[in-house]
Structures are given as C-alpha cells and as structure tokens.
C-alpha cells in the first residue's frame, strides 16, 4: 500500500496524524517544495498539500502531473478554501475529454 503524506502549516495538518497519515509541517513555501520533492522520491502515492502552499508551488507540482504517482491533492487549510482544488479538477477533466463539461458558460 502506498504511503500518504500531508504537507502544510502545523495548524492545518497535525490532525491528520490521528488518521495514521504522515504529516509534514512547513513554515514556508520553499520548505514545502523541498518536502514535496523529498517525499515524492520516497515513494509516497498520495500527497495532500494545503491550498496556501499550492498557490506558490504550482510549478513544482506540475512536475508530477503526468507521472503515475504521486497524486497531489490540494486541501483547504486554516486559511480557508482558495478554489485551487476545484480548479485542478476542472483542468484534469478538460485534458481528459477535451472540453469543459463541469462548468458551462464563463467559469
């Protein structure tokens, strides 16, 4: 079974330890980027990252878009939801089917 990791600020991610996930509390986006690459190399299959860090790590996360693993999944943190997760789902669907079928109109 693949390992699952969670990257984010301490307040947002410490609760995930209760579910048996590996938690990596980071203070800066640079620290989070380093941790992302490190645990990806260590074979983590799923990596959750708080949206606060996703805003600054898009280029680092794009390295893994076409890879089978890890799956990188944005999650809201204590700062709230920035809409990054739903935006990534929308982009994935557009790539898969060649059209925007999730949101009609101007979204």
């Amino acid at each position: 079974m693949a390992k699952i990791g969670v990257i984010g600020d301490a307040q947002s991610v410490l609760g995930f330890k209760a579910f048996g996930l590996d938690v990596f509390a980071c203070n800066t986006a640079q620290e989070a980027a380093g941790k992302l690459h490190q645990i990806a190399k260590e074979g983590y299959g799923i990596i959750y990252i708080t949206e606060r860090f996703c805003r600054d790590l898009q280029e680092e996360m794009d390295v893994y878009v076409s890879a089978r693993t890890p799956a990188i999944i944005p999650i809201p943190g204590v700062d709230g939801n920035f809409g990054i997760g739903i935006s990534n789902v929308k982009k994935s669907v557009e790539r898969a089917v060649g059209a925007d079928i999730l949101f009609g109109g101007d979204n």
Side-chain angles (χ1 to χ4, degrees):
M1 183 165 170
K3 297 185 279 185
I4 301 173
V6 184
I7 299 173
D9 61 279
Q11 284 184 312
S12 298
V13 301
L14 287 179
F16 287 94
K17 279 187 170 189
F19 296 107
L21 305 181
D22 295 333
V23 171
F24 304 96
C26 299
N27 295 313
T28 66
Q30 183 177 6
E31 184 181 352
K35 188 57 68 177
L36 170 63
H37 295 305
Q38 175 191 338
I39 68 175
K41 287 179 186 174
E42 292 175 2
Y44 279 74
I46 300 171
I47 302 173
Y48 294 102
I49 302 180
T50 58
E51 288 188 336
R52 176 179 144 211
F53 286 134
C54 285
R55 290 185 301 188
D56 300 323
L57 298 181
Q58 193 60 54
E59 190 173 305
E60 284 82 3
M61 293 180 349
D62 286 346
V63 170
Y64 304 103
V65 167
S66 61
R68 184 170 172 242
T69 59
I72 300 174
I73 303 167
I75 58 172
V78 295
D79 298 332
N81 183 345
F82 298 112
I84 295 170
I86 194 66
S87 175
N88 287 349
V89 169
K90 181 179 174 186
K91 287 177 192 175
S92 295
V93 170
E94 287 175 1
R95 269 196 317 271
V97 300
D100 182 359
I101 62 169
L102 288 180
F103 304 99
D106 300 327
N107 291 341

